[in-house]
Amino acid sequence: MLRASLTAAAVVAALLVPATAHASPKTPEAEPGIPPLTDRQGRVLTLRGWNIEDKTHRGEEALTGITERHLRDMRAEGFDFARLLVFWDDLEPRPGQYSRSYLHRIGRILNWADRYGVKVVIDAHQDVFGPAFGHRGIPEWATRTDGLPFTAHPDDWFAEYFEPAVQRAFTHLYEDRDLRAAQVRMWRVLAARFARHPAVLGYDLINEPMGEARPGEDLATAARRVERDQLTPMYNRLADAVRSADRDAWVFVEPTPIVGEGVPTGLGRVDDPRVVYAPHFYDSAMEAGSDYDPGAGWIEAYQRAVTAYPKRYRVPVVVGEWGPLDSTLPHMNRFYRDAMASLGRYAAGWAGYVWCYGGGYCAVDDTGAFRPNKELTAEPYAESVAGTDVSAAYDAGRGVYRLAYRAFPRGSRVSVLSVPPGAWRIRAGGRAAVVRGPDGRARVLAVPGSRVTVTVERG
């Protein structure tokens, strides 16, 4: 951390009945210049979901902490997106020896996701580099420290990233030819295994990459240099590796976590046609347990910093992790409302941290009920829109979601809305019909080329 049926005759009849038109919603606060995320049919996607993980089990027990319930419960609350954490040290415990059982368990989770209509990004996760430092991620056999010191910080694990041994390990990963090649092979294995899986949307190439500061550099300067000179070449290598096996998936690239301090990234262009910028959205004070300060301007500073890269390189944004450690503090209701509004201005999607059953970061408690204020993440949204000129906005105070678009003149005609549990009214304006399903989703079937508006209101 620091996603019913209707007979053809009925559809035709519905389209022939005049519907009351509603004014197209406007989103004056939306960030211009950031392209949408799309699927293989060209439909505009919105991703709303959570990270799913098992950091406890390893080896033959790896990933057993993730169950079908995780995907079923997420979908039941209206979420269509999961960022699945996988670990290189479990996939390749010894050089060149890939775990078939680990790949099988990844596949089983993907099958559950497909069953419930959840799109998945496979995230090559690391925390403080990997098991050589007591965490998960890059295998010990790929960890080189040149004998530099490492001191654990049990009360502040993120501080371990700044230990000399950890920083040097990142430098070797980025610079050593054999480690570069090993990382490329690892991604070829993953992409080749899951390229045709219907649940796979894309691949997050490395979680929260860090690097080694040079003498005299401040944190922001070091981060921009690492992003420019080491992460950009790495992402180009790994994107090529993925693309050799999977031509369609999106590749997700992250800046260093320093973006959370309102520092624009130094990443350069990744030469691939399907790149997603995937920053994380954490405030260091809240990570340490502090309450949200609405007057500090952190969300506004973060939005300014995080939107510079996608505007420059014309890539969509999906925030890969976000959410405070303690959602019970007095200002957390305001935080979730401010955060959701901000994310809606520039992000094609997000994955909260984390869908688990308990306390702390967990989205829900042991009974499956949302923990305090996290229910505010469940809003109506359009999972996919079969059209262009898409405009969408949700008024959380009034409980009203509005969507407008121009239906494709040919090809896919069905757009899909996700509605949280509860009483919601859905109306379509223009030459379109709405079909509600039992799974919390509604399908909008539009006449090709027509202008469509949809309004969803809390009952």
Side-chain angles (χ1 to χ4, degrees), residues 28 147 266 314 366 370 389 434:
R314 299 287 299 164
D366 294 334
F370 277 115
D389 301 326
V434 176

Side-chain angles (χ1 to χ4, degrees), residues 48-325:
R48 297 286 178 87
W50 295 83
N51 286 261
I52 52 175
E53 66 178 28
D54 181 2
K55 294 184 178 182
T56 302
H57 299 94
R58 304 187 181 201
E60 291 306 308
E61 298 298 315
L63 294 177
T64 57
I66 300 173
T67 67
E68 184 174 357
R69 179 190 179 191
H70 287 73
L71 284 305
R72 183 185 66 237
D73 289 358
M74 283 175 52
R75 178 73 264 182
E77 295 293 345
F79 300 107
D80 73 332
F81 177 48
R83 180 175 180 259
L84 171 62
L85 278 58
V86 302
F87 298 106
W88 184 2
D89 58 296
D90 272 322
L91 175 62
E92 191 180 2
R94 288 172 295 280
Q97 297 183 20
Y98 298 97
S99 170
R100 293 182 180 180
S101 62
Y102 193 64
L103 290 167
H104 172 75
R105 285 190 290 274
I106 294 172
R108 181 175 61 179
I109 295 168
L110 294 175
N111 291 342
W112 291 332
D114 184 47
R115 180 177 302 168
Y116 295 106
V118 175
K119 305 172 189 69
V120 177
V121 165
I122 297 175
D123 161 44
H125 206 83
Q126 65 79 30
D127 292 321
V128 193
F129 202 79
F133 307 109
H135 296 272
R136 308 300 309 283
I138 290 87
E140 286 197 66
W141 58 260
T143 304
R144 297 170 184 165
T145 67
D146 298 337
L148 293 177
F150 171 77
T151 300
H153 298 261
D155 296 327
D156 183 10
W157 67 269
F158 196 81
E160 295 174 3
Y161 273 113
F162 302 98
E163 287 291 312
V166 175
Q167 295 203 336
R168 183 60 52 85
F170 277 106
T171 295
H172 283 295
L173 177 67
Y174 302 144
E175 302 296 341
D176 291 8
R177 181 173 297 183
D178 60 330
L179 296 184
R180 289 180 176 182
Q183 192 181 24
V184 163
R185 288 192 298 269
M186 179 271 291
W187 266 115
R188 284 178 179 159
V189 168
L190 275 176
R193 179 62 177 265
F194 300 115
R196 294 174 180 82
H197 199 288
V200 173
L201 176 72
Y203 310 96
D204 192 333
L205 300 178
I206 187 171
N207 176 70
E208 295 186 350
M210 293 287 276
E212 186 171 11
R214 292 174 177 169
E217 283 185 327
D218 61 27
L219 190 58
T221 301
R224 286 193 293 265
R225 176 185 52 77
V226 167
E227 290 163 339
R228 181 187 66 243
D229 297 343
Q230 294 177 318
L231 296 189
T232 301
M234 179 189 69
Y235 285 144
N236 276 287
R237 289 193 299 273
L238 300 184
D240 288 345
V242 166
R243 206 55 73 208
S244 69
D246 190 331
R247 298 180 60 185
D248 296 322
W250 290 90
V251 291
F252 287 57
V253 300
E254 299 188 28
T256 64
I258 310 308
V259 70
E261 302 303 317
V263 178
T265 184
L267 278 177
R269 182 182 300 280
V270 179
D271 293 317
D272 188 274
R274 294 177 71 79
V275 171
V276 175
Y277 183 52
H280 293 179
F281 179 38
Y282 289 121
D283 173 60
S284 57
M286 284 191 286
E287 284 294 282
S290 296
D291 198 359
Y292 174 55
D293 179 359
W298 172 70
I299 287 180
E300 295 80 2
Y302 175 89
Q303 182 173 324
R304 288 192 297 271
V306 84
T307 53
Y309 183 88
K311 290 178 180 179
R312 179 177 183 181
Y313 292 107
R314 299 287 299 164
V315 297
V317 178
V318 173
V319 170
E321 291 185 25
W322 74 284
L325 174 62

